[in-house]
Amino acid sequence: MYQTGNMVKELADKYGRKRESLMPILQDIVKKHNYLTDEAMVEVATELDISAAEVYGTASFYTFLDTEERGKNVIRVCKTITCSMKGKNDVISTLEEILKIKVGQTTPDKMFTLLETNCIGWCHKAPAMLVNDMPYTDLSSETVIDVIKGYMRK
Amino acid sequence: MKSKGLTKVDLIFESIDAKEVLAKAFSMTPEEIINQVLESGLKGRGGAGFPTGMKWKFTAAEKDPEKYIVCNADEGEPGTFKDREILDRVVYKVYGGMAIAGKAMGAKKGYIYLRGEYRFLLPQLYLELHKFQKMIAEIGYDFTIEYRMGSGAYICGEESALFESIEGFRGEPRNKPPYPTTSGLFSKPTSINNVETLVTAMMIIAKGPQEYVKLGTKDSRGSKVFSISGDTPIPGIFELELGMTVQEFVNEFGDGDTKAVQVGGASGFCVPRKKFEDTIIGFEGVPTGGSMKLFNSSRSMYNVLHNYLDFFTEESCGQCTPCRVGCQQLLKGVEKVKKGEAKSTYLNELVKLADTMKVASKCGLGQSVGNAFRSIVENFREEIIY
Ligand SMILES: Cc1cc2nc3c(=O)[nH]c(=O)nc-3n(C[C@H](O)[C@H](O)[C@H](O)COP(=O)(O)O)c2cc1C
Ligand code: SF4
Ligand code: FES
């Protein structure tokens, strides 16, 4: 859980209070906190003067607008065909081993969430994954460990 | 059908003097611009292949003073990554193409809808946008561009879902008609074009349509950027003249053991080896938004099909029953056949279901699930059953 403080109000000042402001506001909250709490969504609804159900209904449509608690670093490994053919399963099992969680779970220290996703547009350098916004490509069991170690130090 | 052979082209990534081309475009009348694009024969590069000049013409004909040009940079089709490369290397030509489209249609504002997976590109794209806005201000032309981000929904690449998303709603496709050219973004006349389409349009204005029609075939003019992946020694992004056969493509990009090429991504068609010779890549044969996936004989086409069905089941927006339920049934159906829980003739029922989805679904997603389904099941039946 996180506290939104003045964030929602500031975002509404920045993006406006129209319906079309909703996505940019939700996206910025997720960029900062990685998921949407019920409180944050209610605050957004109040700022934009729409019902909280509208906000939740919109957010829940979009995979990247998570409404479940996520770790500080969200890992999304591509599971579409090329990555799947080129070793995505090895990448997943290595991640599960070093993070000691399964796909869909968050580490107890809330540092990492491990997810799968559909094609992220790096098929020519498969297998690929995103950590937050950053793509990592041509992954192997070895290189994926280096990537994650980098985030452990941050 | 006579093939054109395989020829590499360098048009999309070629550097040009954008200021000069834009000054030229802004000095033309809207009709002149539209006529040049019509003459070029350019068809949309996002997959559906609607003639770009027509789209601009329809939007231009609308009386509403408020119109929009929207650039579709959602690039979610599995196996497509060329728009990312275009944005990365020559985004100034995307901006230029939007401004030219704006001039042709009378739109002063453009939006770019960029998939969330490409957010890492934003700082650099904004830097280029800043330069671009300064440049057109110098030419004395009024046109602004804004970015809007996607959030991981493939369906938002469908044009009306994309408008819903920009407007702040769930990305659920709208009924058509009305078409975007009469009622698109914010219910205003809108031309929505793929990233590559806009760059190509700018190159047509730069070089003249006479130059452009020298490339390609009657039905598929010009060149196209292909995203090539799978079992190939040289995966990547290649611009090729349209009109080659799948065989010629495989000769260049295959690994010597290619058994199938999936043309156009999960919503496209699977071409088996025996059809390589007589299948043209283009609107007269297999159309493609650029996704080309090669599979060699070590791959199970059941896994390929299963992966695609899994993709569609997840990405269906769920709004209409034929697609929502159909995707789930196809997925469960092939699993049952594979496990021997259903007879192999059950596949025929599933093909019928896929055909029904084509006519009964509301949007292109549900309508095109049958493309891959039918072409894989018909050509690799044994691999699905055993
Ligand atoms: C499910 C679905 C997803 C689509 N995704 C994209 C996409 O990511 N990029 C794109 O340019 N067009 C996509 N399209 C096609 C668009 O609806 C639209 O036809 C296209 O943006 C028009 O541009 P064009 O005429 O320049 O090709 C998609 C269509 C469907 C049905
Ligand atoms: S066809 Fe599928 S994706 Fe399209 S509107 Fe219907 S349920 Fe949604
Ligand atoms: S299949 Fe993984 S990035 Fe495209």
Side-chain angles (χ1 to χ4, degrees), chain B residues 44-48 50 55 72 74-76 154-155 157-159 192-194 197 364-365:
Chain B
R45 299 305 195 215
F50 192 82
K55 212 180 253 190
N72 191 337
D74 197 49
E75 192 164 64
Y154 165 69
I155 191 57
E158 195 279 339
E159 50 198 28
I192 175 162
N193 292 108
N194 173 258
T197 310
L365 189 150

Side-chain angles (χ1 to χ4, degrees), chain A residues 19-24 27-28 31 54 56-65 79-86 117-125 130 133-135, chain B residues 78-81 84 115 117-120 149-152 155-156 165-171 186 228-231 235-236 293 295 299 304 307-308 310-311 314-315 317:
Chain A
R19 181 66 194 231
E20 65 199 80
S21 319
L22 178 60
M23 289 289 284
Q27 286 164 340
D28 270 19
K31 201 164 72 186
E54 278 290 324
Y56 181 80
T58 306
S60 63
F61 185 84
Y62 295 94
T63 327
F64 287 8
L65 298 180
K79 67 175 164 88
T80 307
I81 188 68
T82 307
C83 290
S84 177
M85 278 162 38
K86 305 263 168 175
T117 194
N118 286 321
C119 184
I120 56 173
W122 290 96
C123 332
H124 56 322
K125 298 185 176 179
L130 293 171
D133 290 343
M134 276 314 292
Chain B
T80 316
F81 38 86
R84 191 202 66 241
R115 70 184 309 209
E117 289 82 344
Y118 293 169
R119 186 183 276 277
F120 71 99
M149 299 304 297
S151 273
I155 191 57
C156 288
S165 183
I166 295 185
E167 292 178 22
F169 297 93
R170 294 163 69 86
F186 301 117
I228 301 170
S229 68
D231 295 313
K293 285 186 185 259
F295 301 108
R299 305 297 175 187
V304 174
N307 192 279
Y308 288 163
D310 193 45
F311 172 81
E314 276 183 22
E315 299 293 346
C317 83

Side-chain angles (χ1 to χ4, degrees), chain A residues 37-48:
Chain A
T37 57
D38 289 350
E39 289 72 21
M41 285 188 278
V42 169
E43 275 182 57
V44 172
T46 311
E47 285 295 336
L48 302 192

Side-chain angles (χ1 to χ4, degrees), chain B residues 42-52 55-56 70-77 80 82-83 113 115 153-162 173 176 180 191-198 267 289 311-312 315 363-368:
Chain B
L42 173 63
K43 291 181 183 170
R45 299 305 195 215
F50 192 82
T52 307
K55 212 180 253 190
W56 291 9
V70 175
C71 169
N72 191 337
D74 197 49
E75 192 164 64
E77 189 62 51
T80 316
K82 47 107 190 165
D83 290 342
Y113 188 86
R115 70 184 309 209
Y154 165 69
I155 191 57
C156 288
E158 195 279 339
E159 50 198 28
S160 61
L162 187 152
K176 288 182 203 173
S191 175
I192 175 162
N193 292 108
N194 173 258
V195 171
E196 184 184 352
T197 310
L198 291 161
S267 53
F311 172 81
F312 285 125
E315 299 293 346
C363 87
L365 189 150
Q367 289 160 10
S368 51

